[in-house]
Amino acid sequence: MMAASPLLRSLLRKGGARTTSTTTHTTSSSTGTFHYYRPTITSSYLGLQTLAPPRRNMTSNNGNTAATSSNGNGVNRAHDFLYDEPPMPRLVTSTIPGPIARKKTQQLDKVWDAGSVNVMCDYENSVGNFIVDADGNTYLDVYAQIASIPLGYNNPHLLNAAISPEMVSALINRPAMGNFPTQTWHDILTQGILAVAPKGLNQVFTGMSGSDANETAYKAAFMYHQRRARARAANAAASALVEPTQEETDSCMNNQAPGSPNLSILSFKKGFHGRLFATLSTTRSKPIHKLDIPAFDWPQSSFPSLQYPLESHAQANHAEETRCLAELERTIVEWKLKAPVAAVVIEPIQSEGGDNHATPFFFKGVREITKKHEVLLIVDEVQTGVGATGKFWAHEHWGLDSPPDMVTFSKKAQTAGYYYGDKLLRPDKPYRQFNTWMGDPARALLFRTIVSEIKRDRLVEKTAATGDYLYAALHRLSTTYPDQILNLRGKGQGTFIAWDSPARDDFLLKMKYAGVNIGGSGATAVRLRPMLVFGERHADILVKAVERVVSGQISLPK
């Protein structure tokens, strides 16, 4: 039994301060022998104990402290080993899912749609990069709740945040933020969400999910467009506030123009931006997401389909990106008479659509076109944001001369919303961009701790280095099994790596029997979405598992 289970139980036990003994664990690998420690409980508040920060002394075979060692690029390798992590995956059932997981899934399905359940999890006993299922099988998790876990399961610093007085208050006194924000909201935002704001964007609207973040960003784009349109019609400055006409206010109540204008958001083929009504209209990844749901008639444009390896197809890929840019501009122009494009929304890497990449040349061209035609640019960083690509925000790889107009975020942030800089993107009146919750201070508190941990442990730089290490290992494997690992992509993009598999779904299931929880995207892609605490040790486990599957060493039970 892993230590997380009694640890969590002790955290919820009422009473005064308790102190637990520190347990030292040792594991060995090619990188040396490391010691890691169970955190110690030291104090309490309202009967809830607080964890002391975990000890970071990890000693290698040669007697040096791992916390001061480096892999040659200045990035610490100590986090290859997390506290209480098992040394390897461990399977205890002959079939996956096992009998307990199957039973629990059947029970759940009687009251809740369990058709999409992948793993029935035991989170209390999951730790670090390893997830445990209901039967006790332990997997290396490189899917991480669909790219949403930044610091590992049962991270002690997040546990500290979770039982802090601030968190207790946020949870039991959840505020309707638009009307009754907590007096500490400014500090929570500036110390967390806004402390890592993309360059040039200094304000934020907080939401509940990635879909919500994009949906509200679209609303902001439409209000911005109409505000400027009214100013132009009145021969006023673009920043001028011109009141809507009576016809506009009357017609919008009947969902009619001019109050409900015929505007659009342009998205890209194979893109994914959520499952709410407006976001679903911009989602183009799979029919199952959209079928039977009414949708807006909005434009789409082609996203480049690159050939790999990139260095061998530079000329063809440049031509493809040039073609897509021409199509984008043509589409914006053509739709000016039908439903003018208020904003273009784009993912730095099309994630659900198959992990489709493009080069900085393409993204710079998109920005130039949107500025030329006075169309806003929304960069959807819901899945790519918060360090996974080796930059805090993936669009930092592009080297833009001017920032996007809005950047949406969620997943690893554990909260959601959109960043913006132009004050005209703030609605001209209260309640136009509003809901009861307008985000969640509890989740914002978690992100504040996540930001602190990322900065202190240089996890973005570490992820970049680990990604280089992992990509090189997978590239070597792809030369041995070129018919199994196709179109390897993500070089220089941290651990945001993917490839195509000729039998993708079969591969994903076999990887579970090799002890790895891994995901897919699009029709054929295998996508890696490990946590920011995923290190070279974990990469070695992953690559070995991939090799066992592609070499035919893993077979499925009959």
Side-chain angles (χ1 to χ4, degrees), residues 265-282:
I265 303 291
L266 185 149
S267 59
F268 289 84
K269 297 174 183 178
K270 298 185 179 180
F272 181 91
H273 303 287
R275 292 181 172 90
L276 299 178
F277 271 97
T279 52
L280 194 58
S281 291
T282 57

Side-chain angles (χ1 to χ4, degrees), residues 305-321:
S305 180
L306 302 186
Q307 300 177 51
Y308 296 90
L310 294 178
E311 56 270 19
S312 300
H313 300 90
Q315 186 174 353
N317 288 338
H318 184 79
E320 168 68 357
E321 292 187 329

Side-chain angles (χ1 to χ4, degrees), residues 398-461:
W398 304 345
L400 297 180
D401 293 330
S402 61
D405 297 290
M406 288 179 272
V407 173
T408 60
F409 63 94
S410 188
K411 288 194 179 286
K412 281 186 175 65
Q414 296 290 295
T415 182
Y418 63 85
Y419 295 101
Y420 64 99
D422 190 332
K423 64 181 181 180
L424 296 185
L425 282 167
R426 182 180 292 193
D428 55 8
K429 293 180 175 62
Y431 295 101
R432 298 198 69 194
Q433 189 79 294
F434 187 88
N435 56 63
T436 298
W437 302 126
M438 291 183 67
D440 183 349
R443 292 293 165 182
L445 286 169
L446 281 182
F447 190 38
R448 184 177 69 181
T449 301
I450 290 166
V451 168
S452 175
E453 286 297 288
I454 289 173
K455 289 183 175 181
R456 183 178 68 179
D457 292 331
R458 299 180 61 207
L459 293 182
V460 175
E461 294 89 341

Side-chain angles (χ1 to χ4, degrees), residues 131 141-150 153 412 517 529-531:
I131 191 168
D141 190 2
V142 296
Y143 199 23
Q145 307 300 316
I146 320 176
S148 296
I149 301 294
Y153 295 110
K412 281 186 175 65
N517 181 46
R529 296 294 185 271
M531 307 165 196

